[in-house]
Amino acid sequence: MNEERSSPKRLWDTFREVPVIEDEQTPWKQIKLLKIITLFVVAVVVFGLALCSKVSFLLLITLSNEGTKTIPAEQKPVALLCVGCCLVASSVLLLQKSIWKACYKSSKVPAKKTVALVLFFEFMASLGAAILTIVAMPHLDIVTNVMILNSVAVVSALLQVSTQCTARERNRFLLPSITSMVLIILGFVLFCFLYIMKDPANTKMIIWVGLAVGGAFLVSFNWWETYFRLIGENSSSIFLKNLCKDMTKCQNVLHILSSLLRIAVTACVLGAYVPLAKMDWDIVKSIPSRETRIIVITVGVQLMSSALCHWFALAACKMHALRRCFILPLYLASLAVMALLIIPVIVYYQDYRVKLNGTASINFTGYCNVAVDGRTLNQNSSVFPELVLDVTHTLCFLDMSKVTDIGILTGSAASWWLGLVFATFHLWYLSIYRIQRTQDLFIRRFYEGGFLEQSLLLNTRFDIQTTRKWKQFKPLDPVKVFLCATMWHETYDEMMKIIISIFRLDRYRPRKKAETSDMTFEGHVYFDDAFRDVPGSRGRHVNEYAEMLVEIIKEVYSIFLNMDKGIFSNQQQIPDQRIVRTPYGGRVVVTMPYGNSLVVHFKDRKLIRHKKRWSQVMYLYYLLGWKVATKYYKRWESGEDEAKLTGELQKEKHNTYLLALDGDTDFHPAAVMLLIDRLQLYPRVGAACGRIHPTGSGPMVWYQKFEYAVGHWLHKTAEHVFGCVLCSPGCFSLFRADALMDDNVMKKYTIKASEARHYIQYDQGEDRWLCTLLLKQGWRVEYVAASDAYTNAPEEFKEFYNQRRRWGPSTMANIVDLLGSSNLIINKNPSMSTPYMLYQLFCLTSSILAPSTVVLMIAGSLTVLLNIHPNAALVLAVIPPAIFLGVSFKVKADTQILIAAVMSVLYAFIMMIAALIIIGNMIKDKTILTPSSIFIIFLAGFYLLTAVMHPQEISLVVHGWLYMLSIPSAYLLLAIYSMVNMNNVSWGTRETTPAAGPAKPVAAAPQTQAQKVKNTFKRLLTRIQCCKETYRTGSEASVSQQNLTDEPEESVPQPQNTIVEDESRPEEEERQEEPAFTCPNQCWVTQLQSLSDDMPLQEDTLDQDEELFFRELTAKYLEPLPEDKNKQKKVTENLKELRNKITFVYFLCNAFWLVATFCLQLIGGSVFIQVPKLDMHLQLTGEYIYIDPLGFMFILAFATLIIVQFFAMLYHRIYTLIHFVSFLDTESKFEKKRQQVKKVQNDDNVKTDKVNDDEVNDHEVNDDEVNDDEVSDDEASDDEVSEVHMFPGLLNRIYDRGAMV
């Protein structure tokens, strides 16, 4: 059989129609360039900010020195106060953040022992920091001050040694930790020797030196937590284990207490030292302007640069640029600070010697006495020379002319710096994941303002790494992804998109034997209402859409199987696939070219409940209930340990995801991996959605492109940043199995609509309702802007209106449900807070008042066009929508849409003319400060700026003009249509009769006797093959037979989600007593098998346990709903009653808004807000603009909402860039790491493979796996293929023997 299918059957028909497979939407070259630029910028920014922070902090300490003159002696307390502010700034920020989290998220109270131990270490660290920086460092030289901050790693080095010793293994970083400790102690010894031996009789200096050493030692306790956690994990101490758990659970309360303690300790040290140093606090009240300016600028630079450096350092780590943008810049910062402070001192000293011109010989001590200490401060002189001389003064205590002093000072500084380097040497080999969680990367939440680079380096997670694993990397747990697509009446192009996407993912993540992958997946397509009755056939057939899907799978399979073949290479033929009868209809099981499986489930509406939500219930219970959970319950019944099984089940639920897809979704592997990142690293994320791009052509699609863009740019990002995304669309969203299997989620999702509001909330927006259930259970729903997916959008006005008629009421119903349960959600969901719920309430109110707002906008346009009174314009603006509202209750939906289309065109002309007149008036009156002009300029500028933040989508701004012209149609007419037709719960789209339906029966041509015998024999064989049901016995077979011979249903497909669940067959269609089986294919199995020999379908049987599962599932949740005309009539009446109530309240609110505006305009200018009018040069014209209070409040609220959403978008954009850069930096190395793990084949095997090259080319692809030798040498390797699909044209690799060289 292999030989028969090794070459094309028709040598003249080898031409192919290959669809677009590569990612042509994403500009990967530009993105890679952006990645390089981003990493370079981040590295420079981290280095520059660390430099600014350290220099400004050291300058404040220098200004506190009693001998410096930039700040007079009596004003030194001000400088010391600023040093204290720098120390406590991070504690103040941490206090604010912890109070917020304790109020709106978690506020568990820790144990007393935990509080005592944490506060003890915090007390020592804060006391040490205050003593070192406020008391000791102002009396030391600048070189010592720069480098003594690096000595705070001494206790960290000691704890590293202790931690690694408790691991009882040979640790690779034990020697660097010991070396670090020795070097830091050596630095202390040299420092003490230099200062004490310089003047042994100077008691004060001995005290300062002792305080400096003691303060540095106490500060180094600041990072005790990371090592105590590791010691607790490796020891048997119950106290340490409980301590670590308690600190993790109660960190918000502990951070509040520790922050308050730090602020109090710093304030006490500062308050006690100033009087002891014989300084007076009263000077703080009267500081000269020059000194105030110097101190304020220095403190401002220090505080801002410290906070920004901390944030950019986090970003560098999340971008997987730990070495390039984090470690190296922070190491170099201390050296750069030293150079920046010492080089000007040397330059000024040499300039002074040059000015003497040899008239006098002067050394450094003489220079200090004459030029530094003997100078007179000039208040009008530049600040920089004074600061340089003040820095020089700190070195005057030492004799910098002596080589010994310079050598000892350099030795102590180098020892401290090298000690820090060795103490953080493990960071060079630290394994991190892309977009690593901050709490998993850094132990403490914030930084230390006075020890910025030291705190960032020492606060990073410490991992014990053994010598046996030189590059130890603990990968994340592998995940299992189920791709679940629902189909009904998709077109050829739509089906082609999603099938190519699934095969593309198969090529990107091939399934191989005996090889662990980070992600495995199965594809499942659930085809609704796939069967039909065919006259003359014994069994039911699949419809033309199902046939088309099988043909597309065959076509795409062939393309991917022979994609890289040469023109004259032997083309691999598609191996045998499986076709299976099931209790719900049937399935086709396809093993894709690279080993992953794709299962197409054809649903028969006579056997199982149809519609999209019930397809989702079907795959939720099949994939999660049957394939994930059932096996653990069976193992438990067999007697396995319950605790062990519980842990394994929980782990699998946590690492199993469902990717919900529509039948027309087009996506690339990168989009899936970006979604997986969020769920892998953030355990409370229950769902994540990507950026949905509508595709198609025509004005309706242009409008939707900009509408989708604005919705994702602003609304979804604001939801993600401030709370949770309320709707993760079913066309492309990743769900965590653990979240779906949670209480009150999957079980509640199976509820049948029993009330009128259920039809709207449950069936009209099933994806939004599912997210509502997740949010109520405390799960987080996120938006990943870097994950792009493409789906077809309605191209016709009618289809668009019907789609939004379905979305609008369901959206409102789910938001009202959330707001009604706000107290429960806030207490249960840490991501949902009271301010966020108020934000959603404001958005809901805005959407309700949108029609009246549009009416006011139209009234303003009419005022400009007709030059009439605003009230007259308001009356004219109300009349057309009011008429449309009244007529809509009387005419059919199609007529309503026709009227809305005509009115939309008229309104668009009014909007366009009004905009032109407003622009003309701006030019004519030479002013831009009018309400209309401000609105237009602000809106246009805002959308343009937002588009600039999305450079890949900036071209969508072109469609913005259509969006603006369509505002009356989208927010007024569509709102009326949606409210009036709320009782219509049909699906609204894809409800047309198929273009290529089943052929009508025609009269048979006369046949000869031989032909009749031949046809009879064929029908007999077909009937025998169709009726073979090896897995059904007894009554089941009789039931199946009854289903096969059931009466035919209507040829026209019924709309989905209609009130009438299943319409009965016409009574006149009675079953014939003796049917004539004249159809060539007697059932759907032979029908699909006869489609083509290019993809043979071998009939297989279903596992008995799985068959029993489907029968029980159908009986429990998915049994076809019986026809109940009385119930349907009652539901129809209830829906109309609900429609009437909601419509009345909805339009009553809008009427109140319009009446209030009308009354205010009627009263006149007495209650109006008066705003001065400006010309084009922003100069007062003497005229005034009058704005009514309601309008002003609306404009203010709208502007506030826009600004809030803009900053949320800006924040989200930055983190999207971080995610994208980290993805590019790590995903391209994934295949390289896999190749390094593989064993390299020997030369003999390679030669054998080359000799048998032809045999390899002809080898069939196994149904379950794809081995390495199944890909011929002239094909691209799996690694190359996967990366070409991710980064086409970017990665050029050379392979030898299967490994990268």
Side-chain angles (χ1 to χ4, degrees):
M1 186 176 181
N2 293 343
E3 294 177 359
E4 294 177 359
R5 294 192 285 149
S6 62
S7 60
K9 293 183 178 181
R10 296 175 294 274
L11 300 179
W12 53 269
D13 189 16
T14 59
F15 311 104
R16 298 182 301 172
E17 181 183 357
V18 181
V20 177
I21 295 177
E22 304 294 344
D23 186 359
E24 296 185 350
Q25 301 286 346
T26 307
W28 288 109
K29 291 185 178 181
Q30 291 87 337
I31 290 176
K32 188 175 182 182
L33 178 62
L34 178 64
K35 166 200 162 184
I36 297 173
I37 295 174
T38 302
L39 292 178
F40 176 77
V41 169
V42 170
V44 172
V45 169
V46 169
F47 173 77
L49 291 174
L51 186 68
C52 292
S53 174
K54 180 61 71 67
V55 169
S56 57
F57 184 73
L58 291 173
L59 287 178
L60 286 174
I61 293 177
T62 302
L63 295 176
S64 305
N65 189 292
E66 59 186 9
T68 56
K69 295 187 176 182
T70 303
I71 301 296
E74 65 275 7
Q75 297 174 8
K76 297 299 181 182
V78 179
L80 292 174
L81 180 62
C82 293
V83 174
C85 291
C86 296
L87 292 179
V88 302
S90 60
S91 297
V92 173
L93 294 176
L94 179 58
L95 177 63
Q96 294 175 349
K97 186 175 182 179
S98 300
I99 291 176
W100 170 268
K101 289 191 172 184
C103 292
Y104 294 108
K105 294 188 178 182
S106 175
S107 58
K108 295 182 180 180
V109 180
K112 294 181 180 179
K113 292 182 179 180
T114 304
V115 174
L117 184 63
V118 170
L119 294 185
F120 170 73
F121 282 110
E122 294 296 324
F123 172 77
M124 289 198 300
S126 57
L127 179 64
I131 290 176
L132 177 63
T133 57
I134 296 175
V135 179
M137 287 178 63
H139 302 89
L140 305 178
D141 66 276
I142 191 64
V143 176
T144 302
N145 285 342
V146 171
M147 290 302 177
I148 198 173
L149 298 178
N150 295 322
S151 68
V152 298
V154 58
V155 173
S156 294
L158 178 62
L159 291 175
Q160 286 177 15
V161 174
S162 176
T163 302
Q164 294 178 87
C165 290
T166 57
R168 299 185 181 91
E169 294 185 70
R170 291 187 60 194
N171 299 291
R172 49 186 295 208
F173 293 126
L174 187 59
L175 182 60
S177 300
I178 296 174
T179 305
S180 170
M181 192 165 50
V182 171
L183 286 172
I184 294 175
I185 294 175
L186 176 61
F188 282 134
V189 171
L190 293 175
F191 163 65
C192 295
F193 178 80
L194 177 63
Y195 270 81
I196 294 176
M197 296 307 296
K198 193 70 176 177
D199 188 3
N202 191 343
T203 307
K204 287 187 176 181
M205 184 55 66
I206 296 176
I207 294 175
W208 304 139
V209 170
L211 290 175
V213 174
F217 183 78
L218 291 177
V219 172
S220 57
F221 280 100
N222 204 11
W223 302 278
W224 62 277
E225 189 175 340
T226 179
Y227 307 104
F228 269 54
R229 291 179 184 272
L230 290 175
I231 294 173
E233 292 176 2
N234 297 319
S235 69
S236 58
S237 174
I238 300 177
F239 171 74
L240 288 179
K241 294 182 183 295
N242 293 334
L243 173 68
C244 296
K245 292 180 181 179
D246 204 21
M247 287 192 300
T248 302
K249 293 180 181 179
C250 311
Q251 58 179 347
N252 289 327
V253 176
L254 289 174
H255 285 152
I256 293 174
L257 297 176
S258 62
S259 299
L260 292 173
L261 179 65
R262 282 174 167 269
I263 296 172
V265 170
T266 305
C268 290
V269 172
L270 187 61
Y273 173 68
V274 169
L276 290 176
K278 298 180 181 180
M279 291 183 284
D280 190 1
W281 280 114
D282 293 336
I283 193 64
V284 177
K285 300 178 182 178
S286 57
I287 309 173
S289 59
R290 181 176 181 272
E291 285 74 10
T292 301
R293 187 168 60 253
I294 294 173
I295 291 176
V296 168
I297 292 175
T298 307
V299 173
V301 170
Q302 206 283 331
L303 296 178
M304 292 296 296
S305 59
S306 298
L308 290 175
C309 183
H310 174 252
W311 188 88
F312 275 99
L314 290 179
C317 297
K318 288 178 177 289
M319 286 191 296
H320 212 267
L322 186 68
R323 300 178 184 179
R324 294 163 288 180
C325 302
F326 179 77
I327 303 175
L328 191 60
L330 294 179
Y331 278 169
L332 297 177
S334 295
L335 301 179
V337 170
M338 178 72 74
L340 189 63
L341 294 175
I342 296 302
I343 290 177
V345 172
I346 297 174
V347 170
Y348 273 57
Y349 173 53
Q350 294 297 331
D351 287 345
Y352 182 78
R353 296 184 62 183
V354 170
K355 288 179 181 178
L356 294 178
N357 199 19
T359 57
S361 177
I362 188 169
N363 57 13
F364 188 78
T365 303
Y367 170 69
C368 289
N369 294 330
V370 177
V372 178
D373 297 335
R375 77 183 190 277
T376 302
L377 183 64
N378 185 3
Q379 295 292 334
N380 297 323
S381 62
S382 176
V383 177
F384 181 75
E386 298 295 334
L387 291 176
V388 173
L389 295 177
D390 283 345
V391 170
T392 307
H393 169 78
T394 63
L395 295 168
C396 291
F397 173 76
L398 305 172
D399 190 354
M400 292 295 100
S401 300
K402 292 183 179 181
V403 179
T404 305
D405 289 359
I406 296 177
I408 296 175
L409 185 62
T410 304
S412 63
S415 298
W416 284 328
W417 184 79
L418 290 175
L420 177 66
V421 170
F422 279 101
T424 56
F425 186 72
H426 64 278
L427 297 181
W428 290 91
Y429 302 93
L430 182 66
S431 301
I432 61 174
Y433 312 111
R434 54 176 178 254
I435 62 169
Q436 180 91 49
R437 291 192 303 172
T438 303
Q439 64 191 54
D440 294 335
L441 184 61
F442 295 97
I443 303 302
R444 302 178 65 87
R445 278 188 181 174
F446 267 89
Y447 57 93
E448 299 296 328
F451 314 87
L452 182 61
E453 64 267 34
Q454 292 81 13
S455 65
L456 291 174
L457 292 169
L458 295 173
N459 192 32
T460 310
R461 187 185 76 239
F462 179 77
D463 287 340
I464 298 176
Q465 301 186 19
T466 61
T467 55
R468 290 177 297 176
K469 299 179 181 179
W470 176 245
K471 288 191 176 181
Q472 183 181 11
F473 181 75
K474 182 182 178 181
L476 293 169
D477 293 329
V479 300
K480 176 79 171 182
V481 181
F482 294 107
L483 275 64
C484 302
T486 54
M487 282 190 180
W488 186 43
H489 281 176
E490 279 71 18
T491 64
Y492 176 88
D493 292 334
E494 292 170 345
M495 292 183 185
M496 179 66 75
K497 288 179 181 179
I498 190 167
I499 297 301
I500 287 178
S501 299
I502 296 174
F503 274 75
R504 191 188 287 132
L505 186 60
D506 170 61
R507 195 178 191 189
Y508 177 66
R509 279 293 189 271
R511 181 181 179 184
K512 296 187 177 182
K513 184 179 179 180
E515 183 176 326
T516 302
S517 177
D518 63 332
M519 188 269 284
T520 58
F521 79 94
E522 293 179 12
H524 292 266
V525 176
Y526 289 81
F527 206 110
D528 244 329
D529 197 11
F531 289 85
R532 62 187 172 95
D533 287 326
V534 176
S537 173
R538 185 174 182 82
R540 284 165 64 77
H541 285 208
V542 294
N543 57 28
E544 59 275 21
Y545 294 100
E547 287 183 345
M548 186 192 306
L549 178 60
V550 176
E551 290 283 355
I552 289 173
I553 292 175
K554 178 200 69 176
E555 181 180 349
V556 174
Y557 200 121
S558 177
I559 292 171
F560 275 83
L561 190 62
N562 300 291
M563 182 180 295
D564 301 302
K565 293 288 187 181
I567 298 177
F568 299 105
S569 300
N570 290 332
Q571 302 293 305
Q572 282 187 280
Q573 300 302 307
I574 302 175
D576 294 352
Q577 308 299 334
R578 293 185 294 152
I579 187 170
V580 184
R581 303 174 191 270
T582 62
Y584 56 82
R587 68 170 62 157
V588 174
V589 183
V590 178
T591 301
M592 291 181 284
Y594 292 88
N596 297 289
S597 63
L598 171 63
V599 184
V600 180
H601 304 264
F602 294 115
K603 295 174 56 182
D604 190 341
R605 64 183 296 170
K606 290 184 177 181
L607 303 177
I608 195 169
R609 197 176 303 170
H610 65 292
K611 301 175 186 177
K612 183 175 181 179
R613 180 158 73 93
W614 302 117
S615 292
Q616 292 175 334
V617 170
M618 178 180 171
Y619 68 64
L620 286 175
Y621 274 85
Y622 173 55
L623 300 176
L624 303 183
W626 169 253
K627 302 193 76 171
V628 173
T630 302
K631 59 178 178 285
Y632 291 99
Y633 289 104
K634 290 182 178 180
R635 290 170 58 187
W636 175 71
E637 291 175 352
S638 64
E640 292 192 34
D641 182 60
E642 182 176 350
K644 177 184 176 183
L645 289 176
T646 302
E648 292 180 3
L649 175 59
Q650 186 61 35
K651 182 178 179 180
E652 183 168 356
K653 286 163 55 179
H654 185 77
N655 295 312
T656 301
Y657 309 141
L658 264 72
L659 181 64
L661 300 167
D662 276 352
D664 59 353
T665 304
D666 183 16
F667 63 91
H668 288 267
V672 180
M673 300 307 297
L674 289 165
L675 290 179
I676 291 175
D677 284 345
R678 300 300 303 184
L679 272 68
Q680 270 192 306
L681 290 177
Y682 297 87
R684 291 307 302 172
V685 176
C689 63
R691 165 70 165 95
I692 310 302
H693 299 265
T695 58
S697 59
M700 289 309 308
V701 177
W702 299 342
Y703 168 84
Q704 290 173 85
K705 284 185 176 182
F706 190 80
E707 181 197 32
Y708 272 66
V710 172
H712 286 85
W713 292 350
L714 299 174
H715 194 61
K716 256 192 169 47
T717 54
E719 290 183 339
H720 174 97
V721 172
F722 298 125
C724 286
V725 174
L726 299 189
C727 178
S728 190
C731 60
F732 188 69
S733 294
L734 191 68
F735 294 88
R736 190 188 301 275
D738 195 13
L740 295 171
M741 299 168 75
D742 201 357
D743 296 337
N744 301 320
V745 178
M746 207 161 89
K747 179 69 174 178
K748 195 169 184 178
Y749 197 62
T750 63
I751 295 177
K752 291 188 294 185
S754 58
E755 300 178 13
R757 64 181 181 87
H758 293 169
Y759 287 94
I760 296 173
Q761 183 178 3
Y762 297 175
D763 293 331
Q764 297 294 281
E766 71 290 329
D767 47 5
R768 185 174 285 272
W769 183 45
L770 181 58
C771 291
T772 300
L773 297 177
L774 293 176
L775 294 174
K776 287 184 175 181
Q777 283 302 114
W779 293 96
R780 177 170 172 77
V781 182
E782 292 193 343
Y783 165 55
V784 182
S787 177
D788 295 305
Y790 304 85
T791 183
N792 280 24
E795 297 183 356
E796 301 296 332
F797 189 84
K798 175 182 177 182
E799 189 179 8
F800 171 76
Y801 257 52
N802 282 328
Q803 182 193 66
R804 299 311 168 91
R805 179 259 301 159
R806 190 164 44 87
W807 287 2
S810 67
T811 299
M812 190 176 300
N814 280 279
I815 293 178
V816 170
D817 186 9
L818 285 173
L819 293 175
S821 308
S822 57
N823 291 332
L824 173 66
I825 295 174
I826 291 170
N827 293 329
K828 202 165 187 177
N829 195 323
S831 298
M832 307 282 278
S833 61
T834 301
Y836 178 69
M837 301 305 286
L838 293 175
Y839 166 80
Q840 289 296 338
L841 178 61
F842 179 76
C843 292
L844 178 63
T845 305
S846 301
S847 64
I848 292 175
L849 296 178
S852 57
T853 305
V854 174
V855 169
L856 292 175
M857 182 186 303
I858 296 172
S861 301
L862 293 176
T863 303
V864 175
L865 288 174
L866 306 177
N867 194 21
I868 58 178
H869 191 273
N871 275 351
L874 181 57
V875 172
L876 291 177
V878 169
I879 292 175
I883 295 175
F884 178 63
L885 175 62
V887 170
S888 296
F889 282 96
K890 299 296 182 180
V891 300
K892 295 181 179 180
D894 290 347
T895 308
Q896 298 174 36
I897 293 177
L898 179 61
I899 297 172
V902 175
M903 293 181 67
S904 297
V905 175
L906 296 177
Y907 276 136
F909 275 107
I910 293 175
M911 294 288 291
M912 181 177 63
I913 296 172
L916 294 175
I917 291 177
I918 291 172
I919 295 173
N921 289 339
M922 290 169 55
I923 299 174
K924 178 182 177 182
D925 299 338
K926 297 182 179 180
T927 181
I928 60 173
L929 195 60
T930 62
S932 301
S933 59
I934 291 175
F935 178 78
I936 290 179
I937 294 174
F938 173 77
L939 206 59
F942 174 75
Y943 283 141
L944 184 60
L945 181 60
T946 305
V948 170
M949 300 298 298
H950 301 76
Q952 290 179 249
E953 307 174 42
I954 194 170
S955 60
L956 297 178
V957 175
V958 178
H959 305 310
W961 64 272
L962 181 60
Y963 178 83
M964 300 298 295
L965 297 180
S966 303
I967 286 178
S969 177
Y971 293 95
L972 175 61
L973 303 179
L974 181 56
I976 295 174
Y977 178 78
S978 298
M979 291 295 107
V980 172
N981 294 276
M982 188 185 299
N983 60 311
N984 181 5
V985 291
S986 62
W987 200 247
T989 55
R990 305 185 190 278
E991 295 185 351
T992 57
T993 304
K1000 296 181 179 180
V1002 296
Q1007 295 180 338
T1008 64
Q1009 189 67 23
Q1011 289 175 332
K1012 290 181 179 179
V1013 173
K1014 185 177 180 181
N1015 290 339
T1016 303
F1017 183 70
K1018 283 184 177 180
R1019 288 197 299 271
L1020 178 62
L1021 291 178
T1022 304
R1023 178 179 177 183
I1024 293 173
Q1025 181 180 3
C1026 185
C1027 295
K1028 288 196 309 182
E1029 302 182 27
T1030 58
Y1031 66 91
R1032 299 184 182 180
T1033 58
S1035 60
E1036 296 178 1
S1038 62
V1039 172
S1040 176
Q1041 185 71 10
Q1042 181 180 355
N1043 290 333
L1044 288 174
T1045 59
D1046 205 359
E1047 63 267 33
E1049 61 178 324
E1050 294 177 343
S1051 60
V1052 179
Q1054 294 299 317
Q1056 293 215 14
N1057 282 33
T1058 54
I1059 300 174
V1060 181
E1061 294 290 345
D1062 285 298
E1063 296 191 12
S1064 62
R1065 307 292 174 263
E1067 296 179 358
E1068 60 272 18
E1069 294 184 4
E1070 297 180 355
R1071 187 171 48 195
Q1072 299 178 359
E1073 295 182 0
E1074 296 180 359
F1077 302 112
T1078 58
C1079 181
N1081 298 308
Q1082 287 300 299
C1083 66
W1084 69 275
V1085 174
T1086 55
Q1087 175 194 5
L1088 293 181
Q1089 288 176 336
S1090 65
L1091 285 179
S1092 175
D1093 293 335
D1094 294 340
M1095 188 176 72
L1097 298 175
Q1098 302 297 331
E1099 186 171 3
D1100 199 357
T1101 59
L1102 190 67
D1103 179 74
Q1104 292 184 0
D1105 292 338
E1106 188 172 339
E1107 180 188 356
L1108 179 61
F1109 157 75
F1110 275 114
R1111 293 191 181 280
E1112 293 177 346
L1113 175 65
T1114 303
K1116 179 72 173 176
Y1117 297 115
L1118 299 176
E1119 192 172 9
L1121 296 174
E1123 178 188 4
D1124 189 344
K1125 293 185 177 180
N1126 293 329
K1127 181 181 178 181
Q1128 294 167 4
K1129 183 178 180 181
K1130 183 179 179 181
V1131 170
T1132 303
E1133 293 175 354
N1134 292 340
L1135 281 169
K1136 287 184 178 179
E1137 183 179 356
L1138 179 66
R1139 185 271 312 269
N1140 295 336
K1141 291 179 180 179
I1142 295 180
T1143 303
F1144 175 76
V1145 175
Y1146 184 86
F1147 289 107
L1148 186 64
C1149 294
N1150 286 273
F1152 283 157
W1153 183 262
L1154 293 176
V1155 169
T1157 304
F1158 182 86
C1159 293
L1160 287 175
Q1161 292 179 161
L1162 192 62
I1163 293 173
S1166 58
V1167 293
F1168 276 54
I1169 299 174
Q1170 187 173 303
V1171 179
K1173 190 175 181 181
L1174 302 179
D1175 59 13
M1176 301 294 287
H1177 303 288
L1178 301 181
Q1179 301 293 326
L1180 291 174
T1181 61
E1183 300 178 1
Y1184 294 92
I1185 300 172
Y1186 299 94
I1187 305 175
D1188 64 275
L1190 283 178
F1192 177 77
M1193 292 301 297
F1194 172 78
I1195 293 175
L1196 183 63
F1198 177 76
T1200 303
L1201 178 64
I1202 289 295
I1203 292 172
V1204 168
Q1205 290 182 342
F1206 178 79
F1207 280 105
M1209 180 269 298
L1210 188 62
Y1211 177 87
H1212 194 267
R1213 280 276 86 193
I1214 294 173
Y1215 276 92
T1216 299
L1217 177 62
I1218 292 173
H1219 191 182
F1220 222 160
V1221 170
S1222 65
F1223 179 80
L1224 292 172
D1225 198 54
T1226 54
E1227 191 67 15
S1228 61
K1229 301 174 183 177
F1230 172 78
E1231 298 298 336
K1232 178 180 178 181
K1233 291 180 179 179
R1234 290 205 316 172
Q1235 286 291 335
Q1236 291 174 345
V1237 175
K1238 291 182 180 179
K1239 293 182 180 179
V1240 180
Q1241 298 178 349
N1242 55 44
D1243 294 338
D1244 295 337
N1245 291 336
V1246 173
K1247 293 178 181 179
T1248 302
D1249 290 341
K1250 290 182 179 180
V1251 170
N1252 298 329
D1253 196 17
D1254 294 336
E1255 297 179 6
V1256 173
N1257 288 336
D1258 296 336
H1259 190 64
E1260 283 190 7
V1261 181
N1262 189 276
D1263 287 346
D1264 299 324
E1265 64 199 21
V1266 178
N1267 296 324
D1268 292 340
D1269 58 354
E1270 290 177 342
V1271 182
S1272 60
D1273 291 344
D1274 59 345
E1275 292 182 38
S1277 68
D1278 294 338
D1279 303 324
E1280 184 179 0
V1281 167
S1282 63
E1283 293 191 3
V1284 165
H1285 278 278
M1286 286 296 306
F1287 316 104
L1290 296 184
L1291 302 176
N1292 296 318
R1293 292 182 170 185
I1294 301 175
Y1295 293 91
D1296 185 27
R1297 303 181 184 178
M1300 179 182 291
V1301 295

